[in-house]
Amino acid sequence: MSADQHIAGQPLSIIEQELVAFAAHSIDEVTDAHVGGDGVHTMGAAVLDASGAMYPGVNFYHFTGGPCAELVALGSARANGAYDPQVIVAVGNEGRGIKNPCGRCRQIMADNYPWIRVIVVQPEGPRTVSINALLPLNFDWNAEQA
């Protein structure tokens, strides 16, 4: 998101701030990148479900399009019994901070969790926004299946 783009959102709650810290800790514990270098695992994500539980995930980079950290975190949450994800965030390793989701992740989240909120970087700092705000006029895959 460039500095001139702005999507209305809400300041982070205490639990959302904790989710960001959890995601950062998750990737920093397992990253395989040298300081300032590349690696296979350089992005972390975390999902907060309706019960308040948090689930981590890390990316698996591959030139063919390995899974992003957000998708791994959503899979991890589901594998551990979370059926109602509420908030998600991605962060870079080595303190690179919150990273806004790619287009593929946005579409997957909109298709599967249209209620989910995403923590993104805005000019005024981190905010939580609905997935629909991040993907206006999105393709509705579910509606096409009817």
Side-chain angles (χ1 to χ4, degrees):
M1 185 177 311
S2 68
D4 62 335
Q5 293 175 315
H6 184 270
I7 299 170
Q10 301 169 1
L12 301 187
S13 67
I14 298 291
I15 191 79
E16 290 166 343
Q17 292 172 25
E18 291 172 2
L19 187 69
V20 173
F22 180 68
H25 177 75
S26 296
I27 188 56
D28 287 341
E29 289 295 310
V30 301
T31 189
D32 59 345
H34 307 309
V35 174
D38 285 335
V40 174
H41 307 289
T42 59
M43 294 291 297
V47 172
L48 176 71
D49 80 352
S51 75
M54 295 181 191
Y55 302 91
V58 298
N59 74 316
F60 198 101
Y61 175 79
H62 191 265
F63 71 91
T64 61
C68 295
E70 296 96 323
L71 302 183
V72 175
L74 286 165
S76 172
R78 183 62 178 230
N80 283 287
Y83 295 97
D84 195 9
Q86 297 295 302
V87 183
I88 190 166
V89 65
V91 299
N93 65 333
E94 299 176 356
R96 292 185 297 129
I98 297 168
K99 301 297 178 186
N100 297 340
C102 73
R104 180 178 69 163
C105 286
R106 292 175 193 212
Q107 186 66 56
I108 291 170
M109 286 186 272
D111 288 344
N112 294 284
Y113 307 106
W115 61 87
I116 202 165
R117 297 190 60 79
V118 183
I119 297 174
V120 297
V121 176
Q122 296 273 22
E124 63 273 18
R127 309 285 278 187
T128 179
V129 300
S130 73
I131 188 60
N132 292 322
L134 289 181
L135 200 60
L137 305 174
N138 64 313
F139 175 78
D140 187 344
W141 184 84
N142 292 320
E144 294 299 320
Q145 303 311 303

